[in-house]
Amino acid sequence: MSILNVWVTPEAVTVFVDTATTPNGIALAHASKLIPLVHSNIVLAGQGHLLFLYSVFTHMQFLHAADFDELLHALPELLKLVFEKHREFWLSRWPDDHLSLVTQSVVVAGWSPTTRGMRAWVFLQTDDGGFIGEEIARCYYAPADAAIQPPRHPSNRAEVLKLANLQVGLYNALEDRYAIAGGHLVMAEVTRDNLWVLQGDELDPPTSLGKAANITDFPTLTREEHNEHA
């Protein structure tokens, strides 16, 4: 799992993710959960399987969308098609792991020529393997909890870091060695004409690594398998 926090203003969208992952439920590793599409000034981020997120990024390259609005129009069908391929691959490798396949979500953010402003949408997986999109009006944060209140603006970096560490704590409380967050907090800010990506503060560590898991151990993929899936 991951931290995925988004703030939207008319001038900018700011996205925060963590970097922690684990290939086997024992060792802590790090990976990119946020990807800039530099040719179109769009930010892509997600929660769930990194292989799925990276496949979405790869397929986006072949949409040749002229702007954010064209991408947004094509994304629901693209997400469904990519997920179908991903699910087939995943279950061919780990046939007992249906649980982790129902937790995919994707965020895209960029400048909309139609509305003449910054926009961000989150696409959440549905029970049938499709995705339903919802525009983020001001703020979106996941994982969420009724006791956690996000800061009103991402410029308050101390409050942003506090929120992220509270979210690390939510995952730690699950005591599931595959549901972790941590590493570093990474920020992307996208405006109409610019896009910045920064690695920020170190987060609290995940504490559930090595504990009993509720899904099958995942062996590391070979390079050939990575290429086949992509």
Side-chain angles (χ1 to χ4, degrees), residues 63 104 163 166 191 194 211:
L63 281 179
Q104 317 305 313
L163 168 64
L166 288 172
T191 67
N194 293 291
K211 295 187 177 181

Side-chain angles (χ1 to χ4, degrees), residues 109-131:
W111 165 263
S112 165
T114 302
T115 63
R116 306 296 295 174
M118 300 304 302
R119 300 177 73 186
W121 280 65
V122 57
F123 290 85
L124 302 174
Q125 190 177 11
T126 58
D127 292 340
D128 63 357
F131 288 79

Side-chain angles (χ1 to χ4, degrees), residues 103-176:
T103 57
Q104 317 305 313
S105 61
V106 171
V107 163
V108 290
W111 165 263
S112 165
T114 302
T115 63
R116 306 296 295 174
M118 300 304 302
R119 300 177 73 186
W121 280 65
V122 57
F123 290 85
L124 302 174
Q125 190 177 11
T126 58
D127 292 340
D128 63 357
F131 288 79
I132 185 168
E134 179 179 346
E135 185 160 17
I136 300 171
R138 185 185 67 85
C139 178
Y140 171 86
Y141 68 106
D145 185 88
I148 297 177
Q149 293 298 318
R152 292 190 60 83
H153 197 276
S155 61
N156 189 335
R157 296 303 164 80
E159 290 298 312
V160 169
L161 179 61
K162 178 181 177 181
L163 168 64
N165 278 323
L166 288 172
Q167 291 171 304
V168 172
L170 291 177
Y171 284 127
N172 286 341
L174 296 176
E175 296 190 343
D176 181 335

Side-chain angles (χ1 to χ4, degrees), residues 32-46:
S32 297
K33 305 177 184 182
L34 178 155
I35 308 171
L37 283 76
V38 294
H39 68 284
S40 52
N41 222 45
I42 291 172
V43 169
L44 168 70

Side-chain angles (χ1 to χ4, degrees), residues 34 43 187-191 193-198:
L34 178 155
V43 169
M187 182 198 83
E189 183 176 88
V190 57
T191 67
D193 301 312
N194 293 291
L195 194 161
W196 298 268
V197 179
L198 302 171

